[in-house]
Coordinates of all heavy atoms in Angstrom, one line a residue:
Chain N
P40 N 76.3 126.4 212.8 CA 76.6 127.5 213.7 C 78.1 127.5 214.1 O 78.7 126.5 214.3 CB 75.7 127.0 215.0 CG 74.6 126.3 214.4 CD 75.2 125.5 213.2
G41 N 78.7 128.7 214.1 CA 80.1 129.0 214.4 C 81.0 128.5 213.3 O 82.3 128.4 213.6
K42 N 80.5 128.2 212.1 CA 81.4 127.8 211.1 C 81.2 128.7 209.8 O 80.3 129.4 209.7 CB 81.2 126.3 210.7 CG 81.5 125.4 211.8 CD 81.5 124.0 211.4 CE 81.9 123.0 212.5 NZ 81.9 121.6 212.0
G43 N 82.2 128.6 208.9 CA 82.0 129.3 207.6 C 81.0 128.6 206.6 O 80.8 127.4 206.8
P44 N 80.6 129.3 205.7 CA 79.6 128.7 204.7 C 80.4 127.6 203.9 O 81.6 127.7 203.6 CB 79.3 129.8 203.7 CG 79.4 131.1 204.6 CD 80.6 130.8 205.5
E45 N 79.7 126.5 203.7 CA 80.2 125.3 203.0 C 79.5 125.2 201.6 O 78.3 125.1 201.6 CB 80.1 124.0 203.8 CG 80.4 122.8 203.1 CD 80.0 121.5 204.0 OE1 79.6 121.7 205.2 OE2 80.0 120.4 203.4
F46 N 80.3 125.1 200.6 CA 79.8 125.1 199.2 C 78.9 123.9 199.0 O 79.4 122.7 199.3 CB 80.9 125.2 198.2 CG 80.5 124.9 196.8 CD1 79.7 125.9 196.1 CD2 80.7 123.7 196.2 CE1 79.3 125.7 194.9 CE2 80.3 123.6 194.8 CZ 79.6 124.5 194.2
L47 N 77.7 124.1 198.4 CA 76.9 122.9 198.0 C 76.8 122.8 196.5 O 77.1 121.7 195.9 CB 75.5 123.1 198.5 CG 75.4 122.9 200.1 CD1 73.9 123.4 200.5 CD2 75.7 121.6 200.6
F48 N 76.2 123.8 195.8 CA 76.0 123.8 194.4 C 76.3 125.0 193.7 O 76.1 126.1 194.3 CB 74.5 123.3 194.1 CG 73.9 122.2 194.7 CD1 73.0 122.2 195.9 CD2 74.3 121.0 194.3 CE1 72.6 121.1 196.4 CE2 73.8 119.8 194.9 CZ 72.9 119.9 195.9
T49 N 76.5 125.0 192.4 CA 76.5 126.1 191.5 C 75.5 125.9 190.3 O 75.6 124.7 189.8 CB 77.9 126.5 190.9 OG1 78.8 126.6 191.9 CG2 77.8 127.7 190.1
L50 N 74.6 126.7 190.0 CA 73.8 126.6 188.9 C 74.0 127.8 187.9 O 74.2 128.9 188.4 CB 72.3 126.6 189.3 CG 71.9 125.5 190.3 CD1 70.5 125.8 190.9 CD2 71.9 124.1 189.6
Y51 N 74.0 127.5 186.6 CA 74.4 128.6 185.7 C 73.2 129.0 184.8 O 73.2 130.2 184.3 CB 75.5 128.0 184.8 CG 76.8 127.9 185.6 CD1 77.2 126.6 185.9 CD2 77.6 128.9 186.0 CE1 78.4 126.4 186.6 CE2 78.8 128.7 186.7 CZ 79.1 127.4 187.0 OH 80.3 127.2 187.8
S52 N 72.4 128.1 184.4 CA 71.3 128.5 183.5 C 69.9 128.0 183.9 O 69.9 126.9 184.5 CB 71.7 128.1 182.1 OG 71.9 126.7 182.0
A53 N 68.9 128.6 183.5 CA 67.5 128.2 183.7 C 67.3 126.7 183.2 O 67.7 126.4 182.1 CB 66.5 129.1 183.1
G54 N 66.7 125.9 184.1 CA 66.4 124.6 183.7 C 67.5 123.6 184.3 O 67.3 122.4 184.4
E55 N 68.5 124.1 184.8 CA 69.6 123.3 185.3 C 69.2 122.8 186.7 O 68.6 123.4 187.4 CB 70.9 124.1 185.4 CG 72.1 123.2 185.8 CD 73.4 124.1 185.7 OE1 73.3 125.3 185.4 OE2 74.5 123.5 186.0
E56 N 69.6 121.5 187.0 CA 69.3 120.9 188.3 C 70.7 120.2 188.7 O 71.4 119.7 187.9 CB 68.3 119.8 188.1 CG 66.9 120.4 187.7 CD 65.8 119.4 187.7 OE1 66.1 118.1 187.9 OE2 64.7 119.7 187.5
K57 N 70.8 120.2 190.1 CA 72.0 119.5 190.6 C 71.5 118.8 191.9 O 70.7 119.3 192.6 CB 73.1 120.4 190.9 CG 73.8 120.8 189.6 CD 75.2 121.4 189.8 CE 75.8 121.7 188.5 NZ 77.0 122.5 188.7
E58 N 72.1 117.6 192.1 CA 71.6 116.8 193.3 C 72.9 116.4 194.1 O 74.0 116.1 193.6 CB 70.9 115.6 192.9 CG 69.6 115.8 192.3 CD 68.8 114.5 192.1 OE1 68.5 113.8 193.1 OE2 68.5 114.2 191.0
K59 N 72.6 116.3 195.4 CA 73.7 115.7 196.4 C 73.0 115.2 197.5 O 72.3 115.9 198.3 CB 74.7 116.9 196.7 CG 75.8 116.4 197.7 CD 76.6 117.7 198.1 CE 77.7 117.3 199.1 NZ 78.6 118.4 199.5
E60 N 73.0 113.9 197.6 CA 72.4 113.2 198.7 C 70.9 113.5 198.7 O 70.2 113.3 197.8 CB 73.1 113.4 200.0 CG 74.5 112.8 200.0 CD 75.2 113.1 201.4 OE1 74.6 113.8 202.2 OE2 76.3 112.6 201.5
R61 N 70.5 114.1 199.8 CA 69.0 114.5 200.0 C 68.6 115.8 199.4 O 67.4 116.2 199.5 CB 68.6 114.3 201.4 CG 68.7 113.0 202.0 CD 68.4 113.0 203.5 NE 69.4 113.6 204.3 CZ 70.6 113.1 204.5 NH1 70.9 111.9 204.1 NH2 71.5 113.9 205.2
L62 N 69.6 116.5 198.8 CA 69.4 117.9 198.3 C 69.3 117.9 196.8 O 70.1 117.3 196.2 CB 70.5 118.8 198.8 CG 70.7 118.9 200.3 CD1 71.9 119.8 200.7 CD2 69.5 119.5 201.0
K63 N 68.5 118.7 196.3 CA 68.4 119.0 194.8 C 68.1 120.4 194.6 O 67.2 121.0 195.2 CB 67.3 118.2 194.2 CG 67.1 118.3 192.7 CD 66.0 117.4 192.3 CE 65.5 117.7 190.9 NZ 64.4 116.9 190.3
A64 N 69.0 121.1 193.8 CA 68.8 122.5 193.5 C 68.3 122.7 192.1 O 68.8 122.0 191.2 CB 70.1 123.2 193.7
T65 N 67.4 123.6 191.9 CA 66.9 123.8 190.6 C 66.9 125.4 190.4 O 67.0 126.1 191.3 CB 65.5 123.4 190.4 OG1 64.6 124.0 191.4 CG2 65.3 121.8 190.6
L66 N 66.9 125.8 189.0 CA 67.0 127.2 188.7 C 66.1 127.6 187.6 O 65.9 126.8 186.6 CB 68.4 127.5 188.3 CG 68.8 128.8 187.9 CD1 68.7 129.9 189.1 CD2 70.2 129.0 187.2
T67 N 65.4 128.7 187.8 CA 64.6 129.3 186.7 C 65.2 130.7 186.5 O 66.1 131.1 187.2 CB 63.1 129.5 187.1 OG1 62.9 130.5 188.1 CG2 62.5 128.2 187.7
K68 N 64.5 131.5 185.7 CA 65.1 132.8 185.3 C 64.9 133.8 186.5 O 65.6 134.9 186.5 CB 64.4 133.4 184.1 CG 64.9 132.7 182.8 CD 64.4 133.3 181.6 CE 64.9 132.6 180.3 NZ 64.4 133.2 179.1
K69 N 64.1 133.4 187.5 CA 63.8 134.4 188.5 C 64.1 133.9 189.9 O 64.2 134.6 190.9 CB 62.3 134.9 188.5 CG 62.0 135.7 187.3 CD 60.6 136.2 187.5 CE 60.2 137.0 186.2 NZ 58.8 137.5 186.3
E70 N 64.2 132.5 190.0 CA 64.3 132.0 191.3 C 65.0 130.6 191.3 O 65.1 129.9 190.2 CB 63.0 131.8 192.1 CG 62.0 131.0 191.4 CD 60.5 131.2 192.0 OE1 60.4 131.8 193.1 OE2 59.6 130.8 191.3
S71 N 65.5 130.2 192.5 CA 66.0 128.8 192.6 C 65.4 128.2 193.8 O 65.0 128.9 194.7 CB 67.5 128.9 192.8 OG 68.1 127.6 193.1
F72 N 65.2 126.9 193.8 CA 64.7 126.1 194.9 C 65.7 125.0 195.4 O 66.4 124.5 194.5 CB 63.5 125.4 194.5 CG 62.3 126.3 194.2 CD1 62.0 126.7 192.9 CD2 61.4 126.7 195.2 CE1 60.9 127.6 192.6 CE2 60.4 127.5 195.0 CZ 60.1 128.0 193.7
L73 N 65.8 124.9 196.6 CA 66.6 123.8 197.2 C 65.6 122.8 197.9 O 64.9 123.1 198.8 CB 67.6 124.4 198.3 CG 68.5 123.4 198.9 CD1 69.5 122.8 197.8 CD2 69.3 123.9 200.0
H74 N 65.5 121.8 197.2 CA 64.5 120.7 197.6 C 65.2 119.8 198.6 O 66.3 119.2 198.3 CB 63.9 119.9 196.5 CG 63.3 120.8 195.4 ND1 62.0 121.3 195.5 CD2 63.9 121.3 194.2 CE1 61.7 122.0 194.4 NE2 62.9 122.0 193.6
I75 N 64.6 119.4 199.7 CA 65.2 118.6 200.7 C 64.2 117.4 200.8 O 63.0 117.5 201.3 CB 65.4 119.2 202.0 CG1 66.3 120.5 201.9 CG2 66.0 118.3 203.0 CD1 66.5 121.2 203.1
T76 N 64.7 116.2 200.4 CA 63.8 115.0 200.4 C 64.2 114.1 201.6 O 65.4 113.8 201.9 CB 64.1 114.2 199.2 OG1 63.8 114.9 198.0 CG2 63.2 112.9 199.1
A77 N 63.2 113.8 202.4 CA 63.3 112.9 203.6 C 64.5 113.4 204.5 O 65.5 112.7 204.7 CB 63.5 111.5 203.2
P78 N 64.4 114.6 204.9 CA 65.6 115.2 205.7 C 65.8 114.5 207.0 O 64.9 113.8 207.6 CB 65.1 116.7 206.0 CG 63.6 116.6 205.9 CD 63.3 115.6 204.9
K79 N 67.0 114.5 207.4 CA 67.5 114.0 208.7 C 68.0 115.1 209.6 O 68.3 116.2 209.1 CB 68.7 113.0 208.5 CG 68.2 111.8 207.6 CD 69.4 110.9 207.4 CE 69.1 109.6 206.6 NZ 70.2 108.7 206.4
P80 N 68.0 114.9 211.0 CA 68.4 115.9 211.9 C 69.8 116.6 211.4 O 70.0 117.8 211.7 CB 68.5 115.1 213.2 CG 67.5 114.1 213.1 CD 67.6 113.7 211.7
E81 N 70.7 115.8 210.9 CA 72.0 116.3 210.5 C 71.9 117.4 209.3 O 72.9 118.0 209.0 CB 73.0 115.3 210.2 CG 72.5 114.3 209.2 CD 72.0 113.0 209.8 OE1 71.3 113.0 210.8 OE2 72.3 111.9 209.2
D82 N 70.7 117.5 208.7 CA 70.5 118.5 207.6 C 70.2 119.8 208.3 O 70.1 120.8 207.6 CB 69.4 118.0 206.7 CG 69.7 116.8 205.9 OD1 70.9 116.7 205.5 OD2 68.8 116.0 205.7
S83 N 70.0 119.9 209.6 CA 69.7 121.1 210.3 C 70.9 122.1 210.1 O 72.1 121.8 210.4 CB 69.5 120.9 211.7 OG 68.3 120.1 211.9
A84 N 70.7 123.3 209.6 CA 71.7 124.3 209.3 C 71.0 125.5 208.7 O 69.8 125.5 208.4 CB 72.7 123.7 208.2
T85 N 71.8 126.5 208.5 CA 71.3 127.7 207.7 C 71.8 127.5 206.2 O 73.0 127.2 206.0 CB 71.8 129.1 208.2 OG1 71.3 129.2 209.6 CG2 71.4 130.2 207.4
Y86 N 70.8 127.6 205.3 CA 71.1 127.5 203.9 C 71.1 128.9 203.2 O 70.1 129.6 203.3 CB 70.2 126.6 203.2 CG 70.3 125.2 203.7 CD1 69.7 124.7 204.8 CD2 71.1 124.2 203.0 CE1 69.9 123.4 205.3 CE2 71.4 122.9 203.5 CZ 70.7 122.5 204.6 OH 71.0 121.3 205.1
L87 N 72.3 129.2 202.6 CA 72.5 130.5 202.0 C 72.5 130.4 200.4 O 73.1 129.4 199.9 CB 73.8 131.1 202.5 CG 74.0 131.4 203.9 CD1 75.4 131.7 204.3 CD2 73.1 132.6 204.4
C88 N 71.8 131.3 199.8 CA 71.8 131.5 198.4 C 72.6 132.7 198.0 O 72.5 133.8 198.7 CB 70.4 131.5 197.9 SG 70.2 131.9 196.2
A89 N 73.4 132.7 196.9 CA 74.1 133.8 196.5 C 74.1 133.9 195.0 O 74.1 132.9 194.3 CB 75.5 133.8 197.1
V90 N 74.2 135.1 194.4 CA 74.3 135.2 192.9 C 75.5 136.0 192.6 O 76.1 136.8 193.4 CB 73.1 135.9 192.4 CG1 71.8 135.1 192.6 CG2 73.0 137.3 192.9
Q91 N 76.1 135.7 191.4 CA 77.2 136.4 190.8 C 76.8 136.9 189.5 O 76.3 136.2 188.7 CB 78.4 135.4 190.8 CG 79.7 136.1 190.5 CD 80.8 135.0 190.5 OE1 80.8 134.1 189.7 NE2 81.8 135.1 191.4
A92 N 77.0 138.2 189.2 CA 76.6 138.9 188.1 C 77.7 138.9 187.0 O 78.9 138.8 187.3 CB 76.1 140.3 188.4
H93 N 77.3 139.0 185.8 CA 78.2 139.0 184.7 C 78.8 140.4 184.7 O 80.1 140.5 184.4 CB 77.5 138.9 183.3 CG 77.5 137.5 182.8 ND1 78.6 136.7 182.6 CD2 76.5 136.6 182.7 CE1 78.3 135.5 182.2 NE2 77.0 135.4 182.3
S94 N 78.1 141.5 185.0 CA 78.6 142.8 184.8 C 79.5 143.2 186.0 O 79.3 142.7 187.1 CB 77.5 143.7 184.7 OG 76.6 143.7 185.7
G95 N 80.3 144.3 185.9 CA 81.0 144.9 187.0 C 82.0 143.8 187.5 O 82.7 143.1 186.8
N96 N 82.1 143.8 188.8 CA 83.1 143.0 189.5 C 82.5 141.5 189.5 O 81.7 141.2 190.2 CB 83.2 143.4 191.0 CG 84.0 142.5 191.8 OD1 84.6 141.5 191.3 ND2 84.0 142.6 193.1
T97 N 83.1 140.7 188.6 CA 82.6 139.4 188.4 C 82.8 138.5 189.6 O 82.2 137.4 189.7 CB 83.1 138.8 187.1 OG1 84.5 138.8 187.3 CG2 82.7 139.6 185.9
G98 N 83.7 138.8 190.5 CA 84.0 138.0 191.6 C 83.0 138.1 192.8 O 83.0 137.2 193.6
K99 N 82.3 139.2 192.8 CA 81.4 139.5 193.9 C 80.2 138.6 194.0 O 79.5 138.3 193.1 CB 81.0 141.0 193.8 CG 80.0 141.4 195.0 CD 79.7 142.8 194.8 CE 78.9 143.4 196.0 NZ 78.6 144.8 195.8
L100 N 80.0 138.0 195.2 CA 78.8 137.3 195.5 C 77.8 138.1 196.4 O 78.3 138.8 197.3 CB 79.0 135.9 196.3 CG 79.8 134.8 195.6 CD1 80.0 133.7 196.6 CD2 78.9 134.3 194.4
I101 N 76.5 138.1 196.0 CA 75.5 138.8 196.7 C 74.7 137.8 197.4 O 74.1 136.9 196.7 CB 74.7 139.7 195.8 CG1 75.6 140.8 195.1 CG2 73.5 140.4 196.5 CD1 74.9 141.5 194.0
F102 N 74.7 137.7 198.7 CA 74.0 136.7 199.5 C 72.6 137.1 199.9 O 72.3 138.3 200.2 CB 74.8 136.3 200.7 CG 76.0 135.5 200.5 CD1 77.2 136.0 200.1 CD2 75.9 134.1 200.7 CE1 78.3 135.2 199.9 CE2 76.9 133.3 200.4 CZ 78.1 133.9 200.0
G103 N 71.7 136.1 200.1 CA 70.4 136.4 200.7 C 70.7 136.2 202.3 O 71.7 135.9 202.6
Q104 N 69.6 136.4 202.9 CA 69.6 136.4 204.5 C 69.7 134.9 205.0 O 70.0 134.7 206.1 CB 68.5 137.2 205.1 CG 68.6 138.7 204.9 CD 69.7 139.3 205.8 OE1 70.9 139.2 205.5 NE2 69.2 139.9 206.8
G105 N 69.4 133.9 204.2 CA 69.4 132.6 204.5 C 68.1 132.1 205.1 O 67.2 132.8 205.5

Side-chain angles (χ1 to χ4, degrees):
Chain N
K42 296 191 176 181
E45 175 188 346
F46 171 73
L47 292 174
F48 304 109
T49 309
L50 302 167
Y51 294 102
S52 57
E55 189 175 359
E56 299 182 351
K57 287 195 177 171
E58 289 188 66
K59 179 181 179 180
E60 296 180 355
R61 296 176 292 282
L62 300 177
K63 178 180 174 181
T65 62
L66 181 65
T67 72
K68 289 186 177 180
K69 293 183 179 181
E70 57 191 350
S71 176
F72 291 93
L73 185 65
H74 306 278
I75 304 177
T76 302
K79 298 182 178 181
E81 54 261 42
D82 295 322
S83 298
T85 295
Y86 291 86
L87 297 167
C88 172
V90 297
Q91 193 175 62
H93 269 297
S94 60
N96 171 9
T97 58
K99 181 177 182 176
L100 287 179
I101 299 168
F102 281 88
Q104 289 286 80

